Amino acid sequence: MVKSLSLLVGVLCASMASAQGLKDIYQDAFLIGSIASHQQLTHPDAQTRALFQREFNVLTAENDMKWQRIYPSPEGYNFAAADALMQQAEDCQCQVVGHTLIWHQQTPDWVFEDESGKPVSREVLLSRMQSHISTLMTRYKNDVYGWDVVNEALNEDGTLRDSRWRDIIGDDYIAQAFRFAAEADPDAELYYNDYNLNAPAKRDGAVRLVKSLLAQGIKVSGIGMQAHYMLHSPKVSQVEASIQAFASLGVEVMITELDISVLPFPKQAAIGAEISEIAAYAEELNPYAKQLPQEVQTALAQRYQDLFTLFYQHRKSISRVTFWGTHDGTSWKNNWPVRGRTDYPLLFDRDGKPKPAYDAVATVPSVMAQ
Ligand code: 9MR
């Protein structure tokens, strides 16, 4: 009797343990997020659904809320995929982050032009900006708790990037976007999101930018560090310095687009996530086309563990860690900065099975509690 009871307890504990996902393991620390690709939104499969249910408590659309997708032409909006995201989120009891309202990429030319193709005036562009922000934020007021209001507005040296937004409106386009967002949904969290924020010059640029917005009385709730990392860079200490610098502004810090490439980085491409920088394919840039060698798998697990140890140490400042992809097969890293490679940047393999990196991440809180 005693024996069978302890066996039963053992089985129950084991099944409870396997029912625990990262969202449960990190529930006292920060939200754990994933993205939903177009395919996953429009043709949701049981495996992805199960993964969302078990592992994550916050979702972001990978592409389907970007201007080009949701408002491709002046004829009107296409909300189908974004609406599907809200449904998926409800199914997995996940919260939703809106990505992204204002970006220099993926915004159709018509937004900046009049009917004859000439650039519109500052007033016209501001009014289009306001209308777009208000349309999305009003429609998803009850579903989306936080928005990437402005994405990737900085150069690597920390200065403001040239873009059609900036050319036509002026340097205050960022402030205007945040003001419009605060008006559209006063309850929503509003974020500035960018890549390479670990690099000192860009980190300083983000600090200057957000400090200046806050000084003007503009609401900024948090800074999203995208975190498209590699096995050996950036250094954990650099990431930590940025977390500390952003937290000291009094805003939330989020790791918003985490993935770790194991592939060589072509010299001609700028490290980061500038999607226009594509380098030519070469066999030597695709060394693990068939499979990932054990030692690289182990190094990836160690790298994930080191980063999550850091994130967990700074859990008071970090509100969310979102992976940019569910499993390796769907990652954008297979096609950037070189098209057609086989990369292994996430916690789940191409069959949706947890990799050693998953276990490494899952054990951080209990190891640190000892
Ligand atoms: O992962 C996204 C990829 O599928 C798209 O082709 C690309 C362009 O829209 O955007 C990728 O996601 C980017 C994100 O929206 C902003 N930060 C950089 C990400 C990787 O390029």
Side-chain angles (χ1 to χ4, degrees):
M1 172 69 189
V2 172
K3 200 173 167 197
S4 62
L5 186 66
S6 65
L7 193 69
L8 179 67
V9 170
V11 170
L12 273 177
C13 288
S15 74
M16 274 169 65
S18 64
Q20 280 231 326
L22 293 179
K23 68 171 173 13
D24 308 302
I25 296 168
Y26 281 90
Q27 68 179 342
D28 297 328
F30 34 70
L31 297 172
I32 298 282
S34 181
I35 52 171
S37 66
H38 185 70
Q39 169 69 17
Q40 290 159 349
L41 288 175
T42 49
H43 297 90
D45 59 281
Q47 193 193 31
T48 308
R49 277 198 156 137
L51 211 59
F52 285 166
Q53 297 250 354
R54 197 178 66 234
E55 302 294 341
F56 305 107
N57 46 20
V58 53
L59 294 182
T60 306
E62 180 174 18
N63 292 309
D64 288 298
M65 295 179 89
K66 292 173 182 170
W67 197 312
Q68 194 175 54
R69 287 284 180 90
I70 205 161
Y71 195 12
S73 78
E75 276 74 68
Y77 280 86
N78 178 358
F79 293 118
D83 288 355
L85 172 70
M86 306 309 152
Q87 189 54 54
Q88 287 251 14
E90 208 177 304
D91 290 350
C92 65
Q93 294 177 300
C94 291
Q95 302 191 63
V96 179
V97 170
H99 173 82
T100 173
L101 295 170
I102 300 300
W103 190 18
H104 67 285
Q105 297 278 6
Q106 315 301 112
T107 308
D109 288 341
W110 68 263
V111 174
F112 306 102
E113 294 168 0
D114 65 17
E115 276 154 14
S116 62
K118 295 219 178 64
V120 293
S121 65
R122 168 182 159 94
E123 285 64 37
V124 170
L125 191 55
L126 277 173
S127 138
R128 288 182 182 175
M129 176 193 259
Q130 175 169 31
S131 160
H132 181 68
I133 289 176
S134 154
T135 301
L136 289 195
M137 292 187 71
T138 306
R139 183 178 181 92
Y140 298 116
K141 217 182 189 77
N142 297 323
D143 305 298
V144 174
Y145 81 98
W147 288 88
D148 289 337
V149 177
V150 176
N151 194 41
E152 302 173 5
L154 293 171
N155 292 315
E156 296 308 291
D157 66 0
T159 57
L160 281 189
R161 182 198 283 275
D162 273 337
S163 70
R164 298 189 85 181
W165 291 111
R166 185 172 175 222
D167 287 350
I168 297 174
I169 296 177
D171 288 358
D172 67 332
Y173 84 94
I174 301 174
Q176 299 284 6
F178 275 90
R179 278 201 193 99
F180 294 147
E183 275 162 29
D185 181 0
D187 296 328
E189 296 195 355
L190 309 179
Y191 313 131
Y192 176 71
N193 191 49
D194 211 332
Y195 60 82
N196 273 355
L197 289 183
N198 47 276
K202 204 161 179 181
R203 171 200 307 148
D204 293 348
V207 166
R208 276 196 305 275
L209 172 66
V210 171
K211 227 184 200 168
S212 127
L213 294 170
L214 294 172
Q216 295 169 65
I218 293 168
K219 174 174 169 181
V220 181
S221 320
I223 299 181
M225 298 174 62
Q226 289 188 10
H228 298 293
Y229 293 159
M230 288 180 294
L231 270 186
H232 304 292
S233 102
K235 289 201 175 80
V236 168
S237 57
Q238 274 200 334
V239 178
E240 180 168 38
S242 294
I243 294 170
Q244 288 167 329
F246 299 150
S248 73
L249 295 172
V251 298
E252 289 170 37
V253 182
M254 289 152 297
I255 309 300
T256 54
E257 301 186 14
L258 179 59
D259 48 30
I260 300 172
S261 175
V262 299
L263 298 182
F265 206 87
K267 284 208 177 57
Q268 63 269 47
I271 291 180
E274 179 51 57
I275 51 173
S276 55
E277 308 256 352
I278 286 276
Y281 182 90
E283 290 292 327
E284 64 272 22
L285 293 175
N286 192 21
Y288 314 129
K290 292 215 174 72
Q291 65 175 35
L292 192 62
Q294 199 52 49
E295 67 274 15
V296 186
Q297 188 81 267
T298 306
L300 179 69
Q302 184 63 53
R303 174 77 165 145
Y304 262 114
Q305 190 167 51
D306 294 346
L307 283 166
F308 269 81
T309 301
L310 175 77
F311 300 156
Y312 196 72
Q313 277 162 352
H314 288 277
R315 61 191 179 278
K316 286 209 168 66
S317 310
I318 296 177
S319 56
R320 168 171 63 99
V321 177
T322 287
F323 293 89
W324 204 246
T326 41
H327 69 75
D328 288 342
T330 55
S331 169
W332 75 294
K333 294 297 308 184
N334 295 304
N335 289 301
W336 191 91
V338 177
R339 293 209 172 92
R341 297 196 298 177
T342 307
D343 207 343
Y344 301 82
L346 298 165
L347 300 187
F348 297 90
D349 68 16
R350 285 170 165 75
D351 297 320
K353 302 250 158 33
K355 293 156 57 175
Y358 177 93
D359 298 326
V361 168
T363 50
V364 165
S366 57
V367 168
M368 289 185 67
Q370 281 159 20

